[in-house]
Amino acid sequence: MIAHRPGTRANRPSAAATGGSLDEIIRFGLLGLGVGALYALASQGLIVVYRGTGVLNFSLGATAIAGVFLQWELQNKAGWPFLPSALTGVALSALLGALTHWVVMRPLRRASSLIRVIATLGVLILIQAGVVIRYGSNARQVDSWLPTNRVTLWGEVAITVDRLILFGVAWVFAVVLWSMYRRSHFGLATEAVSESERAASAIGLSPNTIAIQNWALGSAIAAVAGILVVPIITLQVTAMTSLVLAALAAALVGDFRSFPIATAAGLALGIGQTLVGRFVDQQGLGQSLPFLVIVAVLVFKGRSLPLRDYFLRELPMIGNGRMSWDWTIFGIGTVAFLMLTKQAKWIDALTVTMGVSIVLLSIVVLTGYAGQLSLAQYTIAGFGAYVSGRLVAVFDIPFLLALVAGVLASVPLGFIFALPAARTRGINLAIVTLGLGTTIELMLFRNREYTGGVQGTQVGSPDLFGLDIGSIRYPERYGLFVLAMALLAVWVVSNVRRGRSGRRLLAIRTNERAATALGIDVPKAKLFAFSLSSAIAALGGIVLAFRLTSISYTSFTNLTSILFVGLAIVGGVGHLLGAFVGATMATAAFSQEVLESTWDGVGRWTQLISGIAILLMVLGYKDGVAAEWVKIFRLVKRARKWGRSYFVELEDVSDPSASESEQSRVPARVLSIENMTVRYGAVVAVNDVSFNLTPGTITGLIGPNGAGKTSLIDAVCGFAPAEGRVALDGEDISRVSPSKRARLGIARSFQTLELFEDATVFENISVAADPQDMRSYLRDLVAPASPPFPPEVVRAIIEFQLDGDLHRDVKDLSYGKHRLLAIARAVAMHPSVLLLDEPAAGLSTAESEELAVVVRRLAQDWGMAVLVVEHDMNFVNEVCDEVVVLDFGNKIAVGSPEAIRLDPAVVAAYLGTEADEHDSEPEPRTTQAVGGGA
């Protein structure tokens, strides 16, 4: 008779059979306190690191398991007592945490959140690979270091003492941490740094010192959890890492701040996981429970992880998407030659490289172009392989038809993954995709009932129109087929990057707010990015899976998804070539075969090398290897004067009829603002303001800082919730979305410019000038559209003197050119109403005078209704026909510039009550003279 552990599928009765008695539910719920304590303590470690540094530490599980394995080795191999070995293990984890901050995160404090997340993933891969090299990946049963005798509570309900101890330890840690962060000097200093690093530094606090202490403390707490709980969960590297990732759910419930709430949530998750595993007959559902909670918290509750702001964030550089066909043909010829002449092991390595490159191309689309970080791309690849494999194995569908079906079936899955992107982004989106992907892995890929049993899915040898291309008998045929699929994928991605859809994705990546203001429907663009990337990933997963005659879907893990994101970063996540460079570093790919042929046994070091490469790239060359190659090639090309440098001539991208100035007149529309009120909580930013913007006139909106000027523009454009009515030619648009308002003819510039810094001047203007049609998403897959600029856009480019800068990257422009481009981009939309937020800020007197002439022309010659928010009163007096004055959100005056200059209420608002300042010493307000300049 075979014995089974309680709760396994072999002896698990259904809920109906057990009757689900209350005593039984309690008994099995108490068993979950062990894993629940791990979730609770690990969530505390996550919160500690986040509160101290603003970083979501995906590597916490790896740093913890390193300490756990050291403790196990010292006790079981070296004969140390438990307590000294445990303290040493905890110290190692604390040291690794401190080093992670000092060596990796400290140099990246001004990097984008994407880069910092990738850095923690790199640390995870590095430490986990090191632990596997030293201790192996097999699970070990560990004797409990806590007493395990049973205590009967009542009747048949009993609990082991170790569960009670773990329960108590979790709450003791929660109370101590709660008290420490509320009352101790260390906790208050951490809170100060989390509020403002700059202000904390000004009062003598060291953000780096505080960050190191929090990283060490958080890692130590996770190590304590691991050491105490491994007798229950077994000692295995990946198991511990996955459980700590699942602890994100508890930390999210606690909003990454509350230790007691996170602890209660962690314990509840452990209990719920055990009960679901016992009473619900669905394999993987219990293990998926924490990840489903993550999705629910971030999506359905609308709660997101508050991200700490940093200055000067930079995203990885983006390539232009143009394929150099001479180099492409050379590359294809080289790979094909090697496949036709080399041994089978080299052919398989090249085949794996090409297959992985297809998956990485999906990351280029989603993360590189659209800026959406997904940690489930390899899971989606596995889903495509699952659909194709089951169609071939069960229904005997031909391979090519099954491949197409698998790719198409992954598109709806991409839609599902895109739905959270409408409410979350950045790290929050990464967590959601990790949760969804892990759920698919646990409930589908690991369920033998769905995947063909112990032997897996038997697909045999694939054929193409009757020609056997199976990699076992004909590796070169299958290799060439995968090469063709990789070429197809890179061609599609190249088309997207160069088309309208690619420009929209790039705009969303850089600034979703600015993209919306240009009329881009951001949710639809994200749906396109996720759907296309899912289809590409599925293609890669299918060709990788069909290398073998039997497919095992357990290889499609969330950890591999994480690794592939890192490889994409190493190669260059914004470049087509980057996908192929990163793919060479994958397991069983070309680089590993080269190393294996040079040094025996180097394969076990592959992931360690990958982790080191990821960290080196994010620290020194965050744009990736391909980007560095492109930079070097351009320098050499310029020095050697090879060919012609990239340049955009206005006549090459414009309509020949651009000289017909009458076509620049915009449709005449009146914008009415009626009784507008904007509130932020209890603060009233705009209070019952009404006025009209009429065609051909310029209205100035002035007032001291904090008067509500920008809030009013935000409300008019739909970016801020407001009461009252906004009407365009009498039609109420108060409930219309911001992107649709832009398409109706309301354009704006931003006080902070919000240009797309990663793109060229040409692309910035093209995004605004492009028609926002849906057909381009499909057309760009095969034939990217770049229609010539219409006359009004050409005239805008000339008016703002940008015709010689179209080829230049935005980041290379002067500040004055930045300002002009921001306005020109808005004008390129050919709007009826133009809202300019401080257009002359930072310009010299001469530049400001030139801008005033251009703005005047926009009203007189183009027929636009223009609203100007500006502090430069010389500029306002020169261009405005009418001026509206706000003070503390209230409209206090309206009239001509001359009348406003002499209005007593305006003078009082600007010059203030100087006599009262000596008595009450109010908060100073930045003011400008009403009648003069700055």
Side-chain angles (χ1 to χ4, degrees):
M1 181 175 181
I2 301 176
H4 297 276
R5 300 177 69 180
T8 58
R9 289 181 59 84
N11 70 337
R12 181 195 304 150
S14 66
T18 62
S21 67
L22 180 61
D23 283 356
E24 185 176 13
I25 292 173
I26 294 175
R27 188 168 70 250
F28 278 94
L30 293 175
L31 289 176
L33 288 178
V35 175
L38 173 63
Y39 289 154
L41 291 168
S43 69
Q44 293 169 12
L46 290 167
I47 293 173
V48 165
V49 174
Y50 183 81
R51 290 185 67 157
T53 63
V55 173
L56 181 56
N57 183 16
F58 281 101
S59 66
L60 185 66
T63 55
I65 199 63
V68 174
F69 265 102
L70 179 62
Q71 186 279 328
W72 172 83
E73 181 182 13
L74 291 176
Q75 184 179 19
N76 291 274
K77 302 296 183 180
W80 286 30
F82 169 72
L83 187 58
S85 63
L87 291 175
T88 305
V90 171
L92 173 64
S93 293
L95 177 62
L96 289 174
L99 287 175
T100 298
H101 171 75
W102 186 257
V103 177
V104 179
M105 304 312 300
R106 181 180 59 89
L108 297 176
R109 63 187 181 277
R110 298 190 185 279
S112 68
S113 58
L114 168 65
I115 292 297
R116 287 183 285 136
V117 167
I118 297 300
T120 64
L121 298 177
V123 174
L124 182 153
I125 294 168
L126 174 64
I127 296 178
Q128 181 174 280
V131 173
V132 169
I133 289 172
R134 179 166 180 80
Y135 298 104
S137 57
N138 295 328
R140 293 177 172 86
Q141 294 294 332
V142 178
D143 295 333
S144 178
W145 304 298
L146 301 174
T148 57
N149 51 300
R150 300 171 64 86
V151 175
T152 301
L153 301 180
W154 66 83
E156 296 183 357
V157 177
I159 185 174
T160 55
V161 175
D162 60 342
R163 261 69 170 186
L164 289 174
I165 293 175
L166 290 171
F167 178 82
V169 169
W171 278 112
V172 167
F173 270 74
V175 172
V176 169
L177 290 170
W178 174 82
S179 178
M180 182 176 69
Y181 278 90
R182 285 176 62 90
R183 296 186 173 88
S184 70
H185 178 268
F186 168 72
L188 296 176
T190 299
E191 190 68 21
V193 169
S194 68
E195 291 292 333
S196 173
E197 290 190 4
R198 185 174 297 180
S201 299
I203 61 174
L205 297 176
S206 171
N208 273 325
T209 300
I210 293 171
I212 288 176
Q213 293 169 348
N214 279 280
W215 272 88
L217 177 60
S219 301
I221 293 171
V224 170
I227 290 171
L228 294 178
V229 177
V230 286
I232 298 174
I233 64 172
T234 71
L235 180 58
Q236 188 178 23
V237 178
T238 55
M240 181 71 178
T241 303
S242 298
L243 287 172
V244 172
L245 289 176
L248 285 170
L252 281 169
V253 173
D255 202 26
F256 275 80
R257 290 197 60 83
S258 175
F259 293 104
I261 293 177
T263 300
L267 293 169
L269 281 174
I271 293 171
Q273 191 171 347
T274 304
L275 291 176
V276 170
R278 170 63 179 173
F279 295 108
V280 179
D281 190 19
Q282 174 59 54
Q283 182 175 328
L285 182 59
Q287 294 172 288
S288 302
L289 182 62
F291 299 98
L292 295 175
V293 170
I294 288 173
V295 175
V297 170
L298 284 179
V299 178
F300 300 111
K301 294 295 183 181
R303 183 181 301 172
S304 63
L305 179 62
L307 301 180
R308 187 176 301 179
D309 196 17
Y310 289 84
F311 294 100
L312 303 177
R313 289 182 174 180
E314 292 184 3
L315 292 167
M317 189 175 72
I318 297 296
N320 53 34
R322 295 191 302 272
M323 294 178 64
S324 174
W325 284 106
D326 49 353
W327 285 104
T328 301
I329 294 173
F330 174 78
I332 294 173
T334 301
V335 174
F337 173 77
L338 293 175
M339 286 183 172
L340 292 172
T341 59
K342 291 296 181 178
Q343 298 174 344
K345 64 176 184 177
W346 288 101
I347 299 174
D348 187 64
L350 289 169
T351 302
V352 170
T353 300
M354 293 298 107
V356 173
S357 70
I358 298 174
V359 180
L360 297 193
L361 280 170
S362 75
I363 299 174
V364 170
V365 171
L366 190 60
T367 304
Y369 295 168
Q372 309 301 304
L373 179 57
S374 170
L375 299 181
Q377 287 305 103
Y378 200 52
T379 302
I380 295 174
F383 181 79
Y386 173 81
V387 172
S388 296
R390 300 306 293 169
L391 286 175
V392 171
V394 178
F395 300 100
D396 200 25
I397 299 295
F399 166 67
L400 191 58
L401 186 59
L403 183 146
V404 174
V407 170
L408 294 178
S410 298
V411 173
L413 183 63
F415 265 82
I416 295 173
F417 274 76
L419 293 178
R423 304 189 65 177
T424 59
R425 61 181 61 88
I427 295 176
N428 303 307
L429 180 60
I431 297 173
V432 172
T433 56
L434 176 67
L436 290 172
T438 304
T439 300
I440 293 174
E441 176 193 344
L442 294 173
M443 296 183 64
L444 180 62
F445 296 163
R446 295 190 185 181
N447 193 329
R448 292 178 178 175
E449 295 179 5
Y450 301 153
T451 57
V454 178
Q455 295 182 342
T457 298
Q458 304 296 315
V459 295
S461 181
D463 65 85
L464 197 62
F465 304 112
L467 177 66
D468 188 353
I469 60 170
S471 63
I472 303 300
R473 296 181 60 188
Y474 305 103
E476 70 284 353
R477 293 181 185 178
Y478 193 76
L480 292 174
F481 173 77
V482 176
L483 175 61
M485 294 298 99
L487 180 61
L488 173 64
V490 76
W491 176 66
V492 169
V493 175
S494 172
N495 288 341
V496 168
R497 170 63 183 90
R498 293 180 291 114
R500 292 178 185 172
S501 56
R503 290 192 286 271
R504 293 172 193 169
L505 297 182
L506 202 62
I508 292 170
R509 170 189 189 263
T510 309
N511 194 312
E512 290 187 16
R513 180 181 168 92
T516 302
L518 294 177
I520 297 173
D521 193 322
V522 172
K524 289 180 181 177
K526 288 183 178 180
L527 283 173
F528 168 75
F530 271 91
S531 301
L532 176 60
S533 68
S534 296
I536 296 172
L539 176 62
I542 293 168
V543 297
L544 286 171
F546 275 81
R547 289 168 44 243
L548 304 176
T549 57
S550 177
I551 302 175
S552 174
Y553 297 102
T554 57
S555 61
F556 293 95
T557 66
N558 60 354
L559 292 178
T560 307
S561 293
I562 292 172
L563 173 62
F564 278 13
V565 172
L567 295 181
I569 292 291
V570 171
V573 74
H575 293 262
L576 301 175
L577 180 61
F580 295 88
V581 175
T584 62
M585 299 181 61
T587 301
F590 186 74
S591 292
Q592 179 174 336
E593 188 59 42
V594 171
L595 293 174
E596 287 278 11
S597 300
T598 308
W599 297 284
D600 291 335
V602 77
R604 60 198 295 258
W605 298 81
T606 301
Q607 285 211 350
L608 182 71
I609 296 171
S610 298
I612 294 173
I614 292 170
L615 293 179
L616 289 177
M617 293 308 301
V618 297
L619 288 171
Y621 306 97
K622 63 181 180 301
D623 294 328
V625 174
E628 297 303 317
W629 287 355
V630 169
K631 292 176 184 177
I632 294 172
F633 179 75
R634 286 178 179 174
L635 289 175
V636 173
K637 184 178 180 180
R638 189 178 301 118
R640 298 293 183 181
K641 298 181 180 180
W642 292 340
R644 183 188 177 192
S645 298
Y646 174 64
F647 196 85
V648 178
E649 296 282 1
L650 181 58
E651 55 267 25
D652 294 336
V653 294
S654 61
D655 193 309
S657 62
S659 59
E660 301 177 19
S661 60
E662 64 273 7
Q663 296 188 34
S664 295
R665 297 288 297 183
V666 303
R669 291 175 180 170
V670 177
L671 180 72
S672 301
I673 301 168
E674 303 172 6
N675 308 114
M676 177 169 287
T677 299
V678 179
R679 290 187 174 91
Y680 300 108
V683 177
V684 180
V686 179
N687 184 31
D688 196 27
V689 174
S690 301
F691 61 90
N692 293 332
L693 300 178
T694 57
T697 63
I698 302 176
T699 302
L701 183 63
I702 67 172
N705 283 347
K709 305 181 296 295
T710 299
S711 294
L712 187 143
I713 290 182
D714 285 344
V716 170
C717 295
F719 288 111
E723 302 169 14
R725 184 171 181 265
V726 179
L728 194 62
D729 272 352
E731 182 181 352
D732 190 354
I733 60 171
S734 302
R735 298 184 180 276
V736 174
S737 67
S739 60
K740 189 172 182 180
R741 294 189 198 193
R743 293 194 293 272
L744 288 173
I746 301 176
R748 67 168 295 179
S749 69
F750 292 88
Q751 183 177 351
T752 53
L753 303 185
E754 303 199 19
L755 295 170
F756 308 133
E757 298 285 341
D758 298 317
T760 62
V761 173
F762 171 76
E763 288 174 320
N764 268 265
I765 296 176
S766 294
V767 171
D770 284 339
Q772 299 302 324
D773 61 319
M774 295 296 295
R775 291 176 298 176
S776 59
Y777 287 120
L778 294 177
R779 185 176 58 244
D780 284 349
L781 297 177
V782 294
S786 291
F789 286 145
E792 59 272 14
V793 177
V794 174
R795 187 178 179 192
I797 293 171
I798 296 174
E799 287 275 16
F800 290 94
Q801 302 176 17
L802 295 170
D803 47 312
D805 299 307
L806 294 177
H807 65 286
R808 298 179 65 187
D809 292 333
V810 172
K811 58 179 176 288
D812 295 332
L813 298 178
S814 66
Y815 180 78
K817 288 284 188 179
H818 270 81
R819 281 280 168 191
L820 294 176
L821 176 59
I823 303 172
R825 187 180 65 179
V827 172
M829 296 175 63
H830 209 229
S832 298
V833 180
L834 179 63
L835 312 177
L836 302 178
D837 197 352
E838 299 193 21
L843 299 182
S844 66
T845 302
E847 290 172 328
S848 182
E849 292 174 352
E850 292 177 1
L851 178 61
V853 173
V854 174
V855 173
R856 191 74 246 175
R857 287 178 186 165
L858 293 177
Q860 293 178 346
D861 299 344
W862 296 55
M864 293 183 185
V866 182
L867 177 69
V868 175
V869 172
E870 187 54 66
H871 283 296
D872 184 347
M873 293 308 301
N874 284 336
F875 185 89
V876 172
N877 292 333
E878 184 176 352
V879 305
C880 293
D881 303 299
E882 183 182 58
V883 177
V884 177
V885 185
L886 297 183
D887 188 35
F888 288 111
N890 297 294
K891 185 175 75 172
I892 62 173
V894 59
S896 66
E898 293 77 12
I900 292 298
R901 187 184 310 159
L902 302 176
D903 192 296
V906 178
V907 174
Y910 266 81
L911 300 183
T913 54
E914 296 181 0
D916 292 341
E917 289 183 3
H918 296 288
D919 299 329
S920 59
E921 296 184 1
E923 189 71 20
R925 301 174 69 191
T926 303
T927 61
Q928 302 289 344
V930 179

